[in-house]
Amino acid sequence: QVQLVESGGGLVQAGGSLRLSCAASGRTFSNYAMGWFRQAPGKERDFVAAINWRGRTYYADSAKGRFTISRDNAGNTVYLQMNSLVPEDTARYYCAARVNWSSSRPSEYDYWGQGTQVTVSS
């Protein structure tokens, strides 16, 4: 079992930055691929970024060049640095975990956090 707790969300103006954190506890963190997803009201949960157990990263087109995912295996934490935020980035952001290899499909992740709200004002 893996427990995930997100933090770092908030209200920011367009063009601003936020850094989300996801603290993991339970099984060996370094064995897990970690993903960030987001969900706006009335919409599906969308892939944002992922990092596999070897540290290789993957991004949705909307995140490329603006967001950076990273992990600290010693601290059991994964981060999402978000720059140049736009109102379309407004959503609840979720951290997820699955063994070894990352995926862009929410259904392939085994563990989820409760999410953290990000609101970008224009």
Side-chain angles (χ1 to χ4, degrees):
Q1 192 77 7
V2 175
Q3 293 80 41
L4 303 172
V5 179
E6 302 95 334
S7 61
L11 174 63
V12 63
Q13 289 187 334
S17 299
L18 283 174
R19 188 174 83 153
L20 306 184
S21 300
C22 173
S25 60
R27 300 284 181 90
T28 305
F29 177 73
S30 58
N31 291 344
Y32 284 81
M34 304 299 296
W36 284 99
F37 293 80
R38 66 187 184 186
Q39 188 168 20
K43 295 189 176 181
E44 294 184 349
R45 190 166 294 189
D46 291 332
F47 171 71
V48 176
I51 184 167
N52 70 18
W53 66 290
R54 290 182 174 179
R56 183 173 179 178
T57 58
Y58 306 85
Y59 295 94
D61 288 343
S62 61
K64 288 178 182 176
R66 300 189 301 130
F67 295 0
T68 303
I69 188 171
S70 61
R71 67 189 298 160
D72 173 8
N73 287 339
N76 287 6
T77 303
V78 63
Y79 302 97
L80 183 68
Q81 177 67 43
M82 305 188 295
N83 299 327
S84 303
L85 286 162
V86 297
E88 292 74 23
D89 294 319
T90 295
R92 192 164 186 84
Y93 283 70
Y94 295 89
C95 173
R98 70 187 302 265
V99 175
N100 290 341
W101 307 109
S102 56
S103 171
S104 62
R105 300 179 180 178
S107 61
E108 295 187 352
Y109 284 78
D110 301 308
Y111 304 101
W112 291 85
Q114 295 300 306
T116 185
Q117 179 67 35
V118 171
T119 303
V120 184
S121 63
S122 57

